[in-house]
Each structure stands twice: as structure tokens, then as C-alpha cells.
Amino acid sequence: MKNFLSLFLLSLFTFSASAQMLSNKKEYTEADTLRGSLRAERAYDVLKYHLKLKVNPSEKFINGSNIITFKTEQKLPVIQIDLFKNMDIDSIMFHGKALNYKRKYNAVFIDFEESLAKNTTDSLEFFYSGHPIIAKNAPWDGGFVWTKDEQGNTWVGVAVQGTGASLWYPNKDHQSDEPESVQLDIAVPNGLMDVSNGRMIGKKDLGNGYTQWSWKTVSPINNYDVTLNIANYAHFSDKFKDLTLDYYVLPYNLEKAKKQFQEVKDMMACFYEKMGPYPFIEDGYKLVETPYLGMEHQSAVAYGNHYSKGYLGRDLSGTGIGLKWDYIIIHESGHEWFGNSITAKDIADMWIHESFTTYSESIYIECRWGKEAAQKYIKGQRANILNQETIIGDYGVNAEGSGDMYYKGSSLLNMIRSIYNDDELWWNTLRDFTKIYKHKIIESKTVEDFFNKPIKTDLQPVFDQYLRHPHIPELQFKREGKTYAYRWRANVENFKMPVDVFIDGKEIRLKPTLNWKKLDQKVSNKNEIKLNDLEFYVNMSFK
């Protein structure tokens, strides 16, 4: 299994179901800049999307419109809205008139007849149609999945993180801006159901062989989290405290789902205790069975783990601990706190989503099976770390960092917890983080400053080394008299970080710098020195 995992990781950069393939390309095009930068044409705040869409599965065709309500942040003669170039624009209407526009790559530049003044609130309706890109291997490449279930019924899903939500609907496709609410009116052939984000607000037979299913969120939502799921679904529900739990599954999996999804309550109890309350109570929590592995679609989490423990029956840590629970339920739901509620402004900082969510897996393990099991799981995941590219990507060009943001990022957080050396303070800080930045869009510096503040130890060199350099630091020892001297070897200037080691079986905290220091203890043999590698992810060597 380890060989399989290694090969899979080398080809995909990450084994997580929650993000598309990471490109890590260093040469960027104008199209990358148009997508990834905040140009003058994007100087507006999206307030609401109202997506009206007819989905024709037999033709793999969609058509409809998006009413985009926005507020200008400065004088706006031209507005940029994004839609993939393979999709057709039928018209763009503003105050009853069709607007002129130009297309460049996947960006659409729309001319207003008169410039909109700063702080103007208005809306336009963008009519479009086409055959959206079909995913070859969702969720790692973005697109639609058109398939049939085991009983021959139509089954449709879409997953677009990384690729872009403008693959299937027009929007301001940048993580720095989220609509305050979204309404989706999705028309599907009679006999099928659409499940989308938020709560269902209506169902209407259109009299043309189609039924419209209407859903609405009342919380801010990422563009890539907006989704549709079309199938002959069976529905059942439950509740955790004041949170509604709704489940939409294929009818022949209903009994399996009722058993498998009982884990959701255990998860919620753990996450509420360690990470704070579910951040979208008003919109509820849903698991929706999908024809792909999974995705953190807000309030409509995609589930395709085939009702198995682990990750499709595998343990990504190689420890056996990952086979005690359903990876997709835990990981994708963890994103509701990290990624959906707390969102990175630029996808270069996607570690804010993925490192914390991967760490949430160990949080769940700790709640169920104890701290030692959680740390063994984190340590086991390190076999999947490559240490070849930086975790933080390039800003302004729609570029994610390396897939090490998952397991290396999780090890970084576990290590920071150990540096805190105060579990009560650590959990309080984590809960404060999710509370203070609930429904906020932030940058890496915000996170670093927040977790740096509660303790005297300066964590900035640690963040710099692990997020902005590909390699981890090396704790070096050399013989010096009757003992050993030690120091760090690292990329960061003036790097320093406390680290725990065992000397002759006794745990000791060292505070190395880049300069040699001498151990206080007499040490006769290097074998008496062991790294606490459950808690610290560093290299160690003897000169």
C-alpha cells in the first residue's frame, strides 16, 4: 500500500479529496493574471448571486442566467465577470438594456453606458448557455460528472475548486470576495431532484417535463462551494443540538447511509468542543452522495467514499488508525470551519484551508482514541510529504502552493501546539481563531500573527521555514568533550525554535539557534539522544 500511495502522491501532489490537482507552475500567462489579480475592473463587492439554471443531462447542456448584485468600491466604467470561454454568452442585461462586452480568455469585460459611481449598489443579469467542461477525474480536475447510478437513473455532480466556478456559472472568480447569500433555482427532468447549498425554499413543476428545485444560503459562501447535485435521492434527517443534519443518498444505499452517517454526531461533538460551533447553523449541515469522492461544498458536503472506513478503505497514515473512521465525512466537514468559514484571500495561501483541515482529522482521532493515537496518525502521514516546493504559492496569479500544505501543514500545527506546551491555551486559541475570523477572508500573515501572540516564543521563524521554504530544519549534534553540542541548520536567517528531545530516556526542551550550544548533561553516546518525533517534525543528524 505504501508503494501505491507514493506513486499516487507523486502524480497528484496530494492524496486529499478536497482540492484539485496542484500545478505549481512558475511560468504564468496573462490568463493567470486576469484570474488571479484584483484589477480595477474587479473593484466591486459581490452581495448576492441568484442562479437560474436548466440542466439537460441527456445533452450534457446547461442554460440560464445569474443575477449578480454588487456594490462598487470605486468609479466603475467596466466590470470584469468571469466565465469559461467554451461557454456561450447569450446577453448581459442591465436596467432593461443589453450591455456590450469583450472576452479575453475566461474573463468577460462589460462596458456600462455610463460609469457607475463609487458605492453604487446595483445588479445585472448574465444570460449564458453551453456544454460545461466534463471532469476526467473529479474532484482532482474540475468539471461536471454526468453518469448513471446502479439502477440506471441519471446522476450529476460538479466540483470545481482550483479550476474555477466560472467553469459553469458567471461570477467574480476570486477568493477575496464572497456573496453574502446565494439562491439557486435549478430545473431538472421530472423524477430527479437537485440538492444545492443552504435550505430548500421551494419546488415547482414547470409543466415542460422539468421540476425546479430552489435553495438559498443566508451566509457568505465561496464561489467554488456553490454546487448542484442531481439524482433520484432519498432523504433522511437528524439533529445535533440546534443544528439540523440532512442526508441525501441513493435509495439503495439508504440503510448503509443511516449506519455510516451516525459518525457525524461524534464528529460534531468533537469539533464543537475543540474548534467551536458549526459556522453555518442557519444554512444547516448536509451530506450528499456524489459520483465523485468528495468536496467541501458549504452546507452540502459531497460524499463519495462508498460507505467505507478510511479513504476508500485505505489508511493514508499507514498506521491503521485511519481505518477507524470515515475520512471523507471528517475531512470534508472539517473544511466548514477552515476554508468555508475562514477563507484565504489568495489561493497562494490555501494552507489556511488544507493544513488546518488535515489537522482536524487528528483532532477527531484525539477525541475518540486519545492524544497518542492522534500524534501517531500525524507522524504516519509524513511519509506523504515531498519537501520539494513551498507550501505558500505565488500571489496574484491564481497559483496554489505545493500539496505539502496538507500533511506538512498539519505537522506544523501539531508542532506549534507542542511549542505552546499548554493544551488549555492551545485549544482556547484555536476556538478563538474560528470565532474571531468566522465568515472572514484573511491572509497568511493574519494567521501567523494570531497564533504567535499568545506565547513568548517567536513563531515567525518557524512559519517562515515551514511555509516559505521547501525544506525542514535540521537539528545537528556534534561531540564536544564529555557531552554534545547542538544547533539548527535552516534556511531562515536567525532561525530559532524550541525542540524536545529525550536524553537517556528523560524528556528535555532545548532552545537551539544557528550557533552551537553545549548540552548541560554529560552524554557518553549519541544513541542516548532521541528526538520527540511524535511532536516535532525536523531532521536530526550527528556530525
Side-chain angles (χ1 to χ4, degrees):
M1 186 176 79
K2 289 184 178 179
N3 290 336
F4 171 81
L5 288 176
S6 299
L7 290 171
F8 198 88
L9 281 159
L10 286 170
S11 65
L12 292 181
F13 293 90
T14 176
F15 213 138
S16 173
S18 59
Q20 317 305 321
M21 188 182 294
L22 306 175
S23 63
N24 277 323
K25 64 180 181 180
K26 296 300 181 183
E27 295 182 5
Y28 301 108
T29 65
E30 184 181 8
D32 294 323
T33 302
L34 289 174
R35 171 76 183 282
S37 64
L38 293 172
R39 300 157 50 90
E41 296 88 347
R42 280 177 158 174
Y44 63 96
D45 177 28
V46 175
L47 303 178
K48 182 180 179 180
Y49 292 139
H50 184 177
L51 190 59
K52 304 176 182 179
L53 200 63
K54 179 181 178 182
V55 181
N56 184 336
S58 62
E59 299 295 329
K60 298 181 175 61
F61 184 83
I62 63 175
N63 67 285
S65 69
N66 189 12
I67 300 174
I68 302 173
T69 303
F70 60 91
K71 183 177 181 179
T72 59
E73 296 172 338
Q74 62 185 41
K75 185 178 180 181
L76 197 67
V78 180
I79 188 171
Q80 177 184 340
I81 294 174
D82 304 292
L83 183 68
F84 271 39
K85 61 185 178 181
N86 66 297
M87 300 297 287
D88 295 324
I89 299 174
D90 300 323
S91 64
I92 302 172
M93 304 300 295
F94 182 70
H95 295 181
K97 295 183 179 179
L99 295 178
N100 294 322
Y101 61 87
K102 295 179 182 178
R103 306 189 76 167
K104 195 166 193 180
Y105 304 106
N106 295 326
V108 183
F109 296 94
I110 304 164
D111 297 310
F112 293 109
E113 290 186 353
E114 296 183 7
S115 296
L116 299 187
K118 181 180 179 180
N119 294 327
T120 298
T121 299
D122 217 320
S123 63
L124 58 81
E125 187 164 11
F126 194 125
F127 292 87
Y128 72 107
S129 59
H131 299 272
I133 290 172
I134 297 173
K136 296 177 181 178
N137 188 28
W140 291 280
D141 65 325
F144 267 68
V145 178
W146 309 89
T147 189
K148 301 282 186 180
D149 66 19
E150 291 179 8
Q151 296 178 342
N153 296 308
T154 294
W155 195 10
V156 181
V158 62
V160 295
Q161 185 188 6
T163 307
S166 51
L167 178 151
W168 71 283
Y169 72 95
N171 66 85
K172 181 182 177 181
D173 209 349
H174 195 278
Q175 278 188 190
S176 65
D177 199 1
E178 298 177 352
E180 299 302 310
S181 69
V182 169
Q183 181 171 331
L184 298 100
D185 299 332
I186 308 297
V188 301
N190 291 344
L192 298 174
M193 180 183 190
D194 169 65
V195 181
S196 289
N197 312 88
R199 298 193 184 275
M200 189 169 72
I201 59 173
K203 172 187 174 184
K204 181 180 180 182
D205 189 335
L206 300 179
N208 60 356
Y210 280 75
T211 299
Q212 178 177 285
W213 300 83
S214 296
W215 297 81
K216 186 177 181 179
T217 71
V218 295
S219 302
I221 184 170
N222 296 336
N223 290 330
Y224 67 78
D225 276 336
V226 177
T227 194
L228 55 78
N229 301 280
I230 300 168
N232 175 32
Y233 281 119
H235 169 242
F236 66 102
S237 61
D238 204 341
K239 202 165 187 180
F240 176 82
K241 296 186 176 183
D242 56 350
L243 174 63
T244 56
L245 310 173
D246 287 280
Y247 306 112
Y248 294 86
V249 301
L250 299 178
Y252 51 83
N253 288 329
L254 182 60
E255 294 308 314
K256 284 192 289 187
K258 286 181 177 180
K259 181 179 179 181
Q260 190 80 358
F261 292 173
Q262 289 175 9
E263 189 164 32
V264 169
K265 284 189 172 183
D266 291 333
M267 174 192 71
M268 288 296 177
C270 174
F271 285 178
Y272 267 59
E273 176 190 353
K274 301 296 189 183
M275 293 160 28
Y278 180 74
F280 305 105
I281 291 176
E282 298 83 0
D283 291 326
Y285 171 87
K286 296 192 293 293
L287 280 179
V288 186
E289 188 170 2
T290 54
Y292 54 88
L293 184 58
M295 181 59 64
E296 63 264 28
H297 295 140
Q298 186 173 307
S299 70
V301 174
Y303 177 84
N305 203 34
H306 304 310
Y307 305 98
S308 60
K309 298 291 187 181
Y311 179 106
L312 292 175
R314 305 182 184 98
D315 176 10
L316 301 186
S317 74
T319 63
I321 299 167
L323 295 175
K324 295 183 176 183
W325 46 280
D326 190 315
Y327 175 92
I328 293 299
I329 291 177
I330 305 307
H331 182 95
E332 303 305 340
S333 299
H335 271 302
E336 293 281 50
W337 282 259
F338 306 111
N340 297 351
S341 178
I342 300 174
T343 303
K345 180 179 179 180
D346 191 298
I347 68 170
D349 286 334
M350 284 292 284
W351 79 273
I352 299 171
H353 299 208
E354 303 302 348
S355 299
F356 279 91
T357 298
T358 304
Y359 183 66
S360 75
E361 300 165 23
S362 70
I363 292 176
Y364 179 69
I365 293 169
E366 183 166 343
C367 287
R368 295 287 307 276
W369 298 284
K371 183 176 180 180
E372 185 177 356
Q375 294 191 326
K376 285 181 178 178
Y377 177 80
I378 292 172
K379 181 183 176 182
Q381 288 179 319
R382 294 177 196 160
N384 304 321
I385 299 172
L386 300 180
N387 285 326
Q388 294 177 354
E389 299 283 346
T390 61
I391 285 179
I392 291 180
D394 295 327
Y395 293 99
V397 286
N398 195 45
E400 296 173 330
S402 80
D404 283 351
M405 70 177 78
Y406 293 82
Y407 308 123
K408 185 176 181 179
S410 178
S411 278
L412 169 63
L413 295 173
N414 183 58
M415 191 166 60
I416 290 172
R417 173 188 178 179
S418 298
I419 293 171
Y420 268 48
N421 202 27
D422 183 337
D423 275 357
E424 182 179 1
L425 177 62
W426 170 253
W427 295 121
N428 285 339
T429 304
L430 186 62
R431 283 189 294 268
D432 286 346
F433 179 58
T434 64
K435 180 180 180 181
I436 291 170
Y437 295 106
K438 177 182 177 181
H439 300 176
K440 295 290 194 301
I441 298 170
I442 63 175
E443 299 173 316
S444 185
K445 187 178 187 304
T446 306
V447 183
E448 295 167 45
D449 289 347
F450 187 87
F451 283 90
N452 207 356
K453 188 175 181 180
I455 59 173
K456 292 181 180 180
T457 300
D458 183 11
L459 294 175
Q460 195 56 58
V462 182
F463 283 118
D464 287 342
Q465 181 66 46
Y466 283 81
L467 298 177
R468 298 178 176 90
H469 294 276
H471 304 297
I472 60 175
E474 182 175 85
L475 180 61
Q476 296 182 329
F477 288 88
K478 70 175 182 178
R479 188 74 189 175
E480 192 164 307
K482 294 182 179 181
T483 187
Y484 282 83
Y486 60 93
R487 72 174 182 184
W488 285 120
R489 182 184 180 190
N491 302 101
V492 174
E493 186 177 356
N494 298 321
F495 179 80
K496 56 183 178 179
M497 181 180 80
V499 61
D500 294 343
V501 298
F502 296 96
I503 298 181
D504 198 20
K506 183 180 179 181
E507 188 170 16
I508 295 172
R509 172 152 292 191
L510 303 179
K511 295 183 179 180
T513 65
L514 296 178
N515 299 316
W516 289 106
K517 290 183 178 182
K518 198 172 181 180
L519 287 172
D520 295 330
Q521 299 85 353
K522 184 186 295 184
V523 180
S524 58
N525 190 299
K526 68 179 183 180
N527 294 328
E528 296 177 18
I529 304 173
K530 304 288 185 184
L531 174 70
N532 181 352
D533 59 359
L534 278 182
E535 299 187 19
F536 287 85
Y537 176 49
V538 301
N539 289 324
M540 191 171 84
S541 67
F542 290 86
K543 295 175 71 70

